[in-house]
Amino acid sequence: YNAIALCQFLENNQQQMNLMDKAVLELGAGTGLLSIVTSLLGAWVTATDLPDILSNLSFNLRRNTKGRSRYIPQVAALSWGQELERDFPFPSYRYDYVLAADVVYHHDFLEELSSRVLGLASLNFLFTISHRFSMGFRSGELPGQLSTVGITWSVIPVVLSL
């Protein structure tokens, strides 16, 4: 449900977060819902996930955005910490937004995310975390790690309406 909540947030807050013509990177895109919505909102999107997910992700993006989005969404393999500098050389790749919905389920992956991938965001990193992982946020572990790598963060409560 977190991807749906983030999609609803982006759609309902377009005046504050105008994605038109912005470069957006989605981490762990899965089926591509978040990338589809951001593409339909006018963003230039690169959806990333593990290599074995990309075929289905590409199909979903084409099927749901063809002829409806300003830019053709791109798909790329991205395994955190593996060949990141080769596949997304800094500073060639800088994104206005990095989006992620439920991509961290265990604290061990947080350091990999914060130290390597978040450097691709020049302005904003929006993500949702699962309820079972939110203890790390409440305990200060997640905010501390984000601050350590120079990322300013804030909590935006999102209420999902189905």
Side-chain angles (χ1 to χ4, degrees):
Y1 292 115
N2 283 333
I4 296 169
L6 193 48
C7 289
Q8 285 181 350
F9 174 81
L10 293 171
E11 184 178 18
N12 294 334
N13 294 280
Q14 291 180 58
Q15 290 185 349
Q16 300 94 311
M17 296 189 57
N18 184 359
L19 295 177
M20 187 66 67
D21 300 321
K22 298 292 193 255
V24 174
L25 175 71
E26 183 184 3
L27 304 176
T31 60
L33 176 63
L34 187 52
S35 288
I36 291 165
V37 170
T38 54
S39 181
L40 295 175
L41 291 173
W44 176 77
V45 177
T46 301
T48 66
D49 212 313
L50 298 172
D52 57 334
I53 305 292
L54 299 184
S55 176
N56 187 53
L57 175 58
S58 295
F59 174 81
N60 289 341
L61 286 170
R62 277 191 314 274
R63 172 81 181 207
N64 291 285
T65 63
K66 188 174 183 179
R68 296 183 208 146
S69 60
R70 189 174 181 101
Y71 302 98
I72 298 171
Q74 304 300 304
V75 174
L78 178 60
S79 300
W80 302 350
Q82 297 179 8
E83 308 296 336
L84 182 63
E85 289 79 13
R86 184 196 72 198
D87 296 336
F88 293 88
F90 181 83
S92 300
Y93 286 88
R94 290 296 272 178
Y95 295 89
D96 298 303
Y97 293 92
V98 174
L99 306 177
D102 276 343
V103 295
V104 177
Y105 288 95
H106 193 276
H107 295 271
D108 292 345
F109 298 115
L110 187 58
E111 183 177 344
E112 203 60 54
L113 174 66
S114 61
S115 66
R116 309 195 84 203
V117 177
L118 297 184
L120 295 168
S122 59
L123 297 177
N124 300 284
F125 178 56
L126 298 176
F127 66 102
T128 62
I129 54 176
S130 66
H131 178 70
R132 63 182 163 182
F133 184 71
S134 65
M135 289 304 295
F137 196 89
R138 282 181 259 158
S139 72
E141 180 182 357
L142 176 58
Q145 287 184 340
L146 293 175
S147 297
T148 299
V149 295
I151 294 172
T152 305
W153 59 272
S154 62
V155 175
I156 302 170
V158 177
V159 177
L160 179 62
S161 59
L162 295 177

